[in-house]
Amino acid sequence: MRALVLAVLFAASVFAQTTKKDEGAVHGGVLFVRACAGCHGNDGKALMDAGGDATDLTAPQLYRHGSTDADILRSIRRGANGMPAFESDLKEAEIQDLLKFIHSLWPK
C-alpha cells in the first residue's frame, strides 16, 4: 500500500510540471504507475531489483532499443528483453499517452 501511495505522489509531482496541453502525459503517468512502475520504478530510473534488466527511462541516450518515438512505441507495443507486449492490453491512444509521459521523464 505504501508503494502505491509513493507512486501516486511521484506521478502527482510529474503531473504538476505538465501544462494543460499535456493531458496525454498526465494520463500516461497514471498508466505508467499501473503498468510500468513495477519494473521501471516509480521514478522511471529502474534502480530497484525487479528481477530483470529494466531500462532507466530518464536516460534516453542509454535506451538499448532506440529512443526515437518509433523505437519506444515498438517496445511498448511488442515488448523487449523480457518486457511484456502491451498492444493487446492498451488502446493505441493509451500507448501514445505512455510515450508522452516517458518524454516527460527526460532531462530538459
Side-chain angles (χ1 to χ4, degrees):
M1 182 67 171
R2 184 176 182 189
L4 178 60
V5 170
L6 291 174
V8 169
L9 289 174
F10 170 74
S13 71
V14 171
F15 301 159
Q17 299 171 23
T18 63
T19 65
K20 192 72 169 161
K21 68 180 183 179
D22 292 332
E23 288 177 5
V26 172
H27 181 240
V30 172
L31 294 168
F32 181 86
V33 167
R34 188 175 65 204
C36 310
C39 294
H40 291 283
N42 294 332
D43 59 2
K45 294 182 185 236
L47 296 178
M48 77 291 191
D49 180 18
D53 191 20
T55 299
D56 176 353
L57 298 176
T58 67
Q61 71 278 10
L62 301 177
Y63 287 14
R64 290 180 294 266
H65 296 282
S67 61
T68 68
D69 287 357
D71 296 332
I72 296 165
L73 291 168
R74 182 175 42 256
S75 292
I76 294 169
R77 288 181 185 123
R78 299 181 187 163
N81 286 0
M83 180 179 124
F86 287 97
E87 69 184 343
S88 62
D89 298 327
L90 299 173
K91 297 175 186 170
E92 183 59 28
E94 293 174 317
I95 291 171
Q96 294 293 328
D97 288 347
L98 272 173
L99 175 66
K100 292 173 186 172
F101 178 75
I102 291 168
H103 281 296
S104 77
L105 297 174
W106 291 6
K108 302 294 179 226

